[in-house]
Amino acid sequence: MHSLGWSSKLISRALRSGFSALLETTTNVTSNNGGSKSRPHFISVVCGFPKDFLTSKYKPGKYGEDSWFKTSTSNADVLGVADGVGGWRSYGIDPGEFSSFLMKTCERLVHCVNFNPQRPVNLLAYSYCELLEQKKPILGSSTACVLVLNRENSTVYTANIGDSGFMVVRRGEIVHKSEEQQHYFNTPFQLSLPPPGHDHNVLSDSPDSADTLSFPVKDGDVILVATDGVFDNVPEKLLLDMLKEVEGVTDPVKLQMTANSLALMARSLSFDSDFMSPFAINARRNNINATGGKPDDITVVLATVAI
């Protein structure tokens, strides 16, 4: 159904978006270091791919139905990803509009005076409320994960709803990670706005349902924030092997190359029909005979902590 033959132009276009993010990252790192060198900050990069290159148009902050943002204030660095639920396409609804609105609104709210770096769930809640109040309804559903580094206390605060998520690596081990929220197999928790008359048969979870965590970070920690296109296709051990190679790395070019490699690996494995992916393993645990990867949009936000 989906072509595996990538033209060099398509791959170049996708990777170019990653290096555009790299230019932004380099600028942010310079400004972060200009203030107080002892305060922690993220060095972060982004890479990703849409599931279908032929039908997806590149837009900043989006890979297919996935959306992402990263931004900073004087007291916090914030990363976020969201994954629009693809099933809405059968209703003529673009799932990417819902996830994109959430992430763009989260990014804007970070720069409001009442932003609380200890409450990333508020970003999701307020963004969702704004979406519900739009005069032209933005229909659909999305999972979401937002992660905030509070520079005042060197602590990360997270809010995750659904099966996007994060992972933190330190000294070659996974020290923190999110847990999937599923109603049942392949049906994650999600923020939703269904079309009129469909409320009774559409899952819609409250932002208050999000899992929230907080934990201190240390210099050199590696943080991955990603959509399920990564976690469904790349085994945890492979993720760990890649992430531990960039512990303590402050060179955004090296980080970008690792993010590119990780996104490409997830993309490749998603179309490997013989690979026993994490998604296939979970399917078999639910008495579904499945083999192979799960073709999906891929979004990788990769960061290291520098103090």
Side-chain angles (χ1 to χ4, degrees), residues 142-200:
S142 181
T143 67
C145 181
V146 175
L147 185 149
V148 180
L149 169 62
N150 185 347
R151 295 185 191 155
E152 298 289 342
N153 58 7
S154 300
T155 299
V156 159
Y157 298 85
T158 70
N160 182 64
I161 186 160
D163 55 4
S164 295
F166 69 88
M167 178 182 293
V168 182
V169 172
R170 178 186 303 153
R171 295 180 181 176
E173 297 182 351
I174 298 171
V175 291
H176 302 286
K177 67 175 182 176
S178 57
E179 296 294 334
E180 282 190 0
Q181 292 179 307
Q182 298 274 0
H183 289 284
Y184 43 88
F185 175 68
N186 203 29
T187 307
F189 281 36
Q190 54 201 265
L191 304 176
S192 302
L193 179 58
H198 287 77
D199 303 61
H200 63 285

Side-chain angles (χ1 to χ4, degrees), residues 70-128:
K70 63 188 187 74
T71 192
S72 300
T73 69
S74 60
N75 295 321
D77 290 338
V78 189
L79 312 173
V81 297
D83 180 5
V85 176
W88 287 107
R89 287 204 177 275
S90 62
Y91 293 87
I93 295 169
D94 179 1
E97 290 188 9
F98 193 104
S99 62
S100 179
F101 184 94
L102 280 181
M103 293 295 94
K104 287 180 179 179
T105 308
C106 282
E107 182 175 10
R108 175 174 57 79
L109 292 176
V110 167
H111 298 278
C112 292
V113 293
N114 60 347
F115 167 61
N116 182 349
Q118 298 184 21
R119 294 280 297 169
V121 69
N122 288 356
L123 292 176
L124 291 178
Y126 297 154
S127 297
Y128 182 52

Side-chain angles (χ1 to χ4, degrees), residues 183-218:
H183 289 284
Y184 43 88
F185 175 68
N186 203 29
T187 307
F189 281 36
Q190 54 201 265
L191 304 176
S192 302
L193 179 58
H198 287 77
D199 303 61
H200 63 285
N201 57 4
V202 172
L203 292 171
S204 184
D205 299 288
S206 165
D208 292 337
S209 300
D211 279 341
T212 58
L213 290 174
S214 64
F215 46 85
V217 290
K218 296 185 178 181

Side-chain angles (χ1 to χ4, degrees), residues 4-18:
L4 294 180
W6 306 348
S7 70
S8 59
K9 183 180 294 185
L10 287 174
I11 293 180
S12 175
R13 184 181 67 180
L15 292 180
R16 193 182 305 124
S17 69

Side-chain angles (χ1 to χ4, degrees), residues 184-187 276-292:
Y184 43 88
F185 175 68
N186 203 29
T187 307
M276 187 56 69
S277 65
F279 180 81
I281 292 172
N282 285 335
R284 293 192 175 200
R285 288 172 180 160
N286 286 271
N287 299 315
I288 299 172
N289 188 17
T291 305

